[in-house]
Amino acid sequence: MKMWSGRFRRPLNPEFEQWQRSFPFDKRLLPQEVAASSAHARALARAGVLSASELKSLLAALEHVKHAFEADPQFLEDREAEDVHHFLERRLVELAGDAGLKLHTARSRNEQIATDLRLFVRDTIDAIEGALFALIEAIAEKAKSAGTAAMPAHTHLQAAEPVLVAHWLLTYAEMLMRDHARLQDCRARLNYCPLGSGAIAGATLSLDREGMARELGFTAPTANSMDATSDRDFAIEFVQCVSILGIHLSRWAEEVILFAAREFGCVRLPETYSTGSSALPQKMNPDALELIRGKAGRLAGSALTLLMASKGLPLAYNKDLQETQEPVFDAADTSLHCVRTAAGVMRDCEFDFARMAASAECGFMNAMAAATYLASKGVPFRSAHEAIGKAVSFCLERGCELADLGLEELKQFSPAFDQDFYSAVTLDAVLGCHDVPGGTNPARVRAALFELEQRVHALQEALHAHA
Ligand code: ARG
């Protein structure tokens, strides 16, 4: 039986009947639907609608459904179910008879889906949090093992200045820490319980909303029943957060792909995350990284779908809101896979430190340090810049580096050059001179790594204290 057939005299158009169902995708909300229904059942009992024995048999039935689902996904086969709410009601009626039919007293699917989806997003944020920590730890491990190894850093994809490999890696850790913080903000904002909001105007019985919220781990009940049943901000926000995360991972993936290209030759791809070519026998392709890069577009697409589905909707619940589920599910699965895969690639890939150092030592990446050297001798920086620029041009014609020029040759560009110039432009000196917080000086990078580990540790401690 449908949940709403009483008023109808004609059956639905069969194609429309199938098309409007959400069960094919919202069945994955069954654990959340069971949890929310338990809370509602307890509130009904407290309100005197269910007797103690009815509550007992309902809770036993809900428990049974939970286990049956965990034991066998086939349990979800039901051609009649319109959505997950209908599916659960059908099972509860089978298992608990009239008590099952009473459960829908003073509630609406509008508040149920708003609650289930919040719980789903909350669970997903918690899962992503664990995966993010694993990825950040993999990055920190790699940064540690890179020690003081150097590499060229680019602006405009042109060699700019040398940096520590660890410094480069920690850039991504910073992005991911921001992603973590954004997701936690989203989690805190969504953690209010719509149960008791009814269809739009609030439950038709005085239900213990505080109790239901507490039971489900929410901070408090939502403040306004119309808002609670129509709000999908949390879904939009969550998918926006993982879109930014996806963008970060795509940038990382692109760089690793580039560095693994023979022309850079700085990264050895892991066989565990690469594939071969059916045509070109010599090839190993960075498929995992390419997929991560590609999925960023998919995540951003889901974010846009959610915005469009919500645009201009009148209050409160509208069936359009059913369209907000699939982008959330897809973004949840996609982002989790991306983060886990990125962690695996990070752990298994290898750097060619010798090659990185060699390319950090050529291509005039000490030019800025050279200009700063002249400035330290009293030459105004703008003139120093000009002098080094001319020296670079001179070297380009000769096919050599600045430090290959003799002192007399250098002096034609500025009389301020002295013998100590050569020690000021070695790779170590160039790295060392960036001695500011956040700079690539090895001691600064070591401190940054230590600080990152402290931050992650503090977050994990807070998490365990909460659990
Ligand atoms: N399957 C529906 C959804 O996901 C549940 C809410 C249905 N509410 C209604 N009034 N038809 O949006």
Side-chain angles (χ1 to χ4, degrees):
M1 194 173 91
K2 294 230 172 291
M3 297 176 94
W4 40 262
S5 50
R7 182 234 183 276
F8 283 73
R9 282 188 288 176
R10 293 186 62 190
L12 289 190
N13 168 286
E15 185 182 345
F16 170 62
E17 207 277 328
Q18 286 301 317
W19 185 58
Q20 55 94 38
R21 288 167 184 250
S22 53
F23 192 55
F25 50 86
D26 71 12
K27 54 170 87 165
R28 67 186 293 171
L29 292 175
L30 188 64
Q32 289 80 10
E33 176 70 8
V34 167
S37 293
S38 306
H40 181 70
R42 288 201 175 89
L44 282 182
R46 287 197 291 277
V49 175
L50 294 176
S51 68
S53 73
E54 282 171 328
L55 175 65
K56 199 165 161 231
S57 72
L58 262 179
L59 292 179
L62 284 163
E63 199 59 23
H64 175 90
V65 168
K66 196 169 131 196
H67 291 308
F69 163 69
E70 280 162 5
D72 180 12
Q74 295 281 66
F75 175 71
L76 285 171
E77 286 301 318
D78 183 346
R79 297 183 52 78
E80 295 295 308
E82 183 173 317
D83 55 24
V84 68
H85 321 293
H86 188 206
F87 172 83
L88 182 60
E89 184 171 290
R90 283 161 56 78
R91 297 295 84 75
L92 294 180
V93 172
E94 280 165 12
L95 293 161
D98 275 358
L101 290 170
K102 282 190 180 179
L103 183 62
H104 209 58
T105 315
R107 77 168 178 176
S108 156
R109 285 184 295 163
N110 300 351
E111 61 179 308
Q112 285 172 258
I113 185 59
T115 306
D116 293 356
L117 206 53
R118 277 174 197 246
L119 289 172
F120 176 85
V121 171
R122 194 177 75 184
D123 292 345
T124 305
I125 289 176
D126 293 346
I128 294 178
E129 175 170 50
L132 267 180
F133 283 148
L135 173 55
I136 293 169
E137 270 160 23
I139 292 173
E141 273 311 306
K142 267 276 177 313
K144 215 176 288 173
S145 64
T148 55
M151 68 186 282
H154 305 82
T155 61
H156 311 269
L157 203 49
Q158 302 289 317
E161 289 188 282
V163 292
L164 291 198
V165 175
H167 193 61
W168 169 68
L169 284 167
L170 291 180
T171 312
Y172 288 103
E174 287 305 321
M175 296 185 203
L176 298 170
M177 290 295 278
R178 288 197 295 278
D179 291 320
H180 175 265
R182 249 185 298 274
L183 285 164
Q184 289 306 307
D185 284 353
C186 171
R187 189 191 195 283
R189 234 183 322 276
L190 73 73
N191 206 27
Y192 291 84
C193 184
L195 289 189
S197 296
I200 178 166
T204 45
L205 284 175
S206 176
L207 294 178
D208 172 15
R209 296 197 64 207
E210 292 284 346
M212 290 193 283
R214 210 174 316 116
E215 186 177 336
L216 293 170
F218 285 112
T219 309
T222 48
N224 178 302
S225 62
M226 293 179 76
D227 181 45
T229 48
S230 68
D231 170 30
R232 292 294 182 274
D233 289 6
F234 63 92
I236 298 174
E237 210 177 323
F238 163 67
V239 180
Q240 300 272 359
C241 289
V242 294
S243 295
I244 300 177
L245 165 61
I247 298 294
H248 291 155
L249 294 179
S250 80
R251 296 183 71 173
W252 167 79
E254 167 65 8
E255 288 213 301
V256 180
I257 291 169
L258 207 57
F259 295 165
R262 196 192 53 182
E263 290 74 4
F264 276 84
C266 292
V267 171
R268 272 185 295 274
L269 291 173
E271 291 195 11
T272 42
Y273 288 94
S274 307
T275 63
S277 156
S278 59
L280 308 168
Q282 84 283 14
K283 291 205 71 189
M284 184 153 93
N285 295 327
D287 287 33
L289 294 161
E290 291 168 282
L291 277 175
I292 289 173
R293 190 176 56 189
K295 299 282 185 194
R298 183 181 176 122
L299 288 167
S302 293
L304 192 61
T305 303
L306 280 172
L307 284 173
M308 290 299 98
S310 319
K311 179 185 173 296
L313 285 185
L315 290 176
Y317 178 82
N318 297 273
K319 186 94 165 187
D320 313 43
L321 291 177
Q322 188 166 286
E323 286 297 299
T324 61
Q325 292 187 36
E326 285 168 290
V328 168
F329 297 150
D330 192 72
D333 296 339
T334 302
S335 54
L336 262 169
H337 277 301
C338 284
V339 176
R340 290 199 193 118
T341 306
V345 175
M346 192 78 255
R347 273 186 226 108
D348 288 4
C349 74
E350 286 170 28
F351 297 128
D352 186 336
F353 292 127
R355 188 138 177 190
M356 285 169 145
S359 78
E361 258 172 320
C362 59
F364 307 103
M365 276 185 286
N366 52 6
M368 171 96 167
T372 308
Y373 163 83
L374 287 181
S376 77
K377 300 280 177 188
V379 181
F381 185 78
R382 192 47 58 223
S383 317
H385 184 286
E386 182 72 13
I388 299 296
K390 289 199 166 117
V392 166
S393 168
F394 181 76
C395 288
L396 280 170
E397 271 169 29
R398 298 235 177 145
C400 69
E401 293 286 326
L402 289 170
D404 296 328
L405 299 178
L407 196 50
E408 287 316 306
E409 284 172 308
L410 285 168
K411 279 186 188 289
Q412 19 163 7
F413 301 104
S414 167
F417 278 109
D418 212 337
Q419 198 56 44
D420 58 354
F421 170 72
Y422 298 99
S423 59
V425 294
T426 62
L427 180 59
D428 283 346
V430 174
L431 290 167
C433 77
H434 298 276
D435 190 12
V436 285
T440 205
N441 170 294
R444 297 289 187 176
V445 174
R446 219 177 310 120
L449 181 55
F450 179 74
E451 206 216 302
L452 171 77
E453 287 179 326
Q454 298 288 322
R455 276 149 71 201
V456 173
H457 186 71
L459 289 169
Q460 283 172 327
E461 292 276 282
L463 195 67
H464 292 314
H466 240 77

